[in-house]
Amino acid sequence: MSYHFPEGFLWGASTAAHQVEGNNVNSDFWVMENLDGSTFKEPSGDAVDHYRLFREDIALMEKLGMNAYRFSIEWARIEPEEGVFNETEIEHYRDVLKACQENKITPIVTLHHFTSPAWLIRSGGWESAETPFRFARYCSYVMRKLGDMIPYVCTINEANISIGIAKIIKRHQINASAVQVGINTDKGTRMQAYYAALSDAFNVHPQEVHSFLGPRTEKGLEIIFQAHVEARNAIRCVSPSTRIGITMSLYDIQSISGGEKQAEHALNEEFLRFQAYLKEDDFFGLQNYTRAVYGPDGMLPIPDDAEKTQMGNEYYPQALEAVIRYVAKQLDMPVLVTENGVATDQDERRIAFIQRALTGVHACIADGIPVIGYMHWSLLDNFEWQLGFSKTFGLIAVDRTTQQRYPKPSAYYYGKIAATNRLADEDSQSIVE
Ligand code: BGC
């Protein structure tokens, strides 16, 4: 691929703390994964031990040709109990940021990527009116300590994800509170046991366990976006030079004849209605994986003959270009692709995905849209939440028995594009070998 991207374009990959670090013991997910009857496919455990191996991983990114890394700081590590802040964990993330500096990797830090401290859930979680304040307090603490090393911050990952979750629930008629707490509703008795354990663990009624990854009330949605606004204000005070954004999960929403109104409704519900909260942001973090096509009666099923990913999504890398174009029409700010990728065990399909996605990004830039970077999801094969380690999104495979890293051909392919664009004068071949 021989397109030329603008100078300073951020070429990187993303991870999230809980999915890669391992032993996130004070988080709500750790509790849920390890309860009797949990239907998480498996617990996160040591994950891919990135907490210990981050230096090697960041050096490998540089070696491959990338110049940016989006990762998250884990709230449950920084504030394991309400109001008790852990200096040692701040020093850990300072070391991660230093490793980025040493490897000329621009860090893009996410302050909340799905997991929350278990104590937050005991105090009402993401339906409590106190949560925006609590979140902003944590953000302020982190940014006061580390902000001078953080040029880009994403407050909340996929602030709108609950809408997608609610749609899945509606489509499959799943018991909403079961999804909220991450259990399989087919297993009635097990569910009762799990509910009891959950209730004990969080000391609230199971229906009141409001972890981030669940359906939200309207009030809960407002709380999430309010948390973003409070965090943005707090970060601006303590680290004025850090550029601040949020990330949202957006489908390429399309319609067939008669489905236009449904598509319009979906766009409003999933994106447009939140615009007021984003007006003062410095960039928009866009995350896209596929498209959603609407007919007169709502979202259409994926056609039988369509290629599907391990996640059951339609393989549709051209979605990214369409979503960037749509977002750029609505928001007057730079767009950073904070996630885009595919779960597949056929790495050549990942290569084709990246190729098509980047062709789209380039076409947007050529038309004057300010796209400032592309973060592939994901750097490493990792813990895919409920589905455990079975889904492979990574550019780099990991043997979890040895924690050995094995870059896939897609990692070399993507790294070479990045390096060729960044170091136009150098022989990029030597970088990817
Ligand atoms: C999330 C990631 C997740 C990925 C693939 C995104 O919604 O931010 O944490 O692993 O999608 O499912």
Side-chain angles (χ1 to χ4, degrees):
M1 202 173 138
S2 60
Y3 297 123
H4 199 75
F5 283 72
E7 215 187 311
F9 191 79
L10 297 167
W11 295 97
S14 286
T15 63
H18 189 78
Q19 294 178 270
V20 293
E21 285 182 347
N23 301 298
N24 185 16
V25 298
N26 293 310
S27 72
D28 54 350
F29 272 71
W30 185 270
V31 173
M32 295 188 290
E33 288 158 26
N34 289 291
L35 286 178
D36 277 354
S38 168
T39 58
F40 274 75
K41 211 165 162 208
E42 56 197 316
S44 52
D46 288 337
V48 289
D49 208 7
H50 184 65
Y51 190 83
R52 199 173 53 86
L53 297 174
F54 69 88
R55 283 192 188 81
E56 288 86 335
D57 290 337
I58 292 170
L60 181 53
M61 292 182 89
E62 193 273 338
K63 193 156 172 258
L64 287 163
M66 293 178 231
N67 68 355
Y69 178 32
R70 173 176 176 250
F71 62 93
S72 73
I73 289 183
E74 183 59 52
W75 186 0
R77 290 192 194 277
I78 302 291
E79 193 182 357
E81 284 173 51
E82 180 161 20
V84 178
F85 293 90
N86 187 332
E87 241 351 281
T88 313
E89 295 292 1
I90 287 285
E91 290 314 307
H92 168 78
Y93 288 109
R94 192 188 304 285
D95 287 345
V96 177
L97 290 161
K98 269 191 204 151
C100 288
Q101 278 177 354
E102 283 158 18
N103 288 284
K104 299 195 171 51
I105 297 272
T106 300
I108 299 158
V109 171
T110 304
L111 290 165
H112 187 275
H113 194 125
F114 295 169
T115 41
S116 309
W119 64 257
L120 187 86
I121 309 308
R122 293 188 188 107
S123 314
W126 289 94
E127 292 283 341
S128 162
E130 297 294 306
T131 291
F133 155 75
R134 292 174 169 134
F135 180 60
R137 183 179 55 188
Y138 145 74
C139 293
S140 167
Y141 178 79
V142 169
M143 297 305 287
R144 212 170 335 122
K145 301 275 177 184
L146 302 175
D148 57 337
M149 300 173 85
I150 303 179
Y152 296 92
V153 88
C154 305
T155 55
I156 297 178
N157 181 66
E158 298 194 342
N160 62 343
I161 190 153
S162 64
I163 297 153
I165 294 175
K167 282 190 179 162
I168 296 171
I169 292 167
K170 195 168 159 209
R171 212 168 331 131
H172 299 290
Q173 304 272 294
I174 304 170
N175 174 327
S177 54
V179 173
Q180 166 76 49
V181 297
I183 63 168
N184 178 345
T185 44
D186 301 338
K187 316 235 162 85
T189 336
R190 212 171 129 187
M191 183 172 115
Q192 296 297 331
Y194 183 69
Y195 265 17
L198 193 79
S199 184
D200 277 359
F202 289 115
N203 208 16
V204 290
H205 188 277
Q207 305 274 359
E208 298 299 321
V209 176
H210 299 301
S211 186
F212 189 87
L213 270 191
R216 283 277 81 82
T217 61
E218 278 302 308
K219 185 186 125 221
L221 258 176
E222 223 179 285
I223 284 169
I224 290 176
F225 281 87
Q226 201 50 46
H228 167 65
V229 171
E230 298 281 346
R232 186 180 61 209
N233 294 341
I235 296 166
R236 285 245 159 91
C237 285
V238 295
S239 186
S241 62
T242 300
R243 277 156 280 184
I244 309 168
I246 196 168
T247 88
M248 286 174 75
S249 157
L250 300 176
Y251 289 92
D252 169 12
I253 294 182
Q254 304 179 357
S255 56
I256 57 163
S257 171
E260 296 82 357
K261 280 256 156 316
Q262 295 272 358
E264 211 178 293
H265 177 73
L267 274 168
N268 186 52
E269 218 192 10
E270 293 170 29
F271 174 59
L272 293 176
R273 64 169 159 152
F274 302 116
Q275 279 187 90
Y277 296 100
L278 316 182
K279 283 243 160 1
E280 288 169 39
D281 289 4
D282 300 311
F283 68 91
F284 179 74
L286 189 161
Q287 313 203 158
N288 166 262
Y289 287 87
T290 189
R291 68 171 169 173
V293 186
Y294 284 81
D297 301 321
M299 204 196 292
L300 299 174
I302 300 169
D304 286 342
D305 58 351
E307 179 178 351
K308 296 194 192 64
T309 74
Q310 287 174 336
M311 299 292 282
N313 291 331
E314 183 178 0
Y315 178 97
Y316 196 76
Q318 54 272 52
L320 181 62
E321 175 175 354
V323 179
I324 295 174
R325 289 185 187 282
Y326 180 76
V327 162
K329 273 195 207 131
Q330 313 298 327
L331 297 176
D332 184 21
M333 63 182 77
V335 174
L336 175 59
V337 178
T338 40
E339 284 182 30
N340 175 249
V342 58
T344 179
D345 54 9
Q346 292 166 341
D347 196 52
E348 64 280 5
R349 298 306 291 147
R350 186 177 347 270
I351 290 178
F353 192 97
I354 293 172
Q355 206 262 331
R356 179 61 188 88
L358 288 179
T359 301
V361 173
H362 188 268
C364 292
I365 294 173
D367 288 342
I369 298 174
V371 188
I372 58 172
Y374 174 87
M375 300 300 120
H376 191 76
W377 184 270
S378 181
L379 179 66
L380 300 153
D381 284 343
N382 63 44
F383 179 71
E384 180 55 26
W385 308 110
Q386 280 276 306
L387 304 171
F389 293 93
S390 60
K391 310 296 170 201
T392 47
F393 278 95
L395 294 166
I396 300 170
V398 180
D399 174 348
R400 293 187 60 242
T401 56
T402 58
Q403 296 294 3
Q404 187 71 36
R405 276 49 177 156
Y406 297 95
K408 302 175 190 176
S410 56
Y412 294 107
Y413 173 81
Y414 175 55
K416 186 171 178 180
I417 296 173
T420 311
N421 271 276
R422 290 175 38 231
L423 313 165
D425 303 333
E426 283 188 36
D427 176 13
S428 59
Q429 209 56 38
S430 63
I431 290 163
V432 297
E433 274 165 9

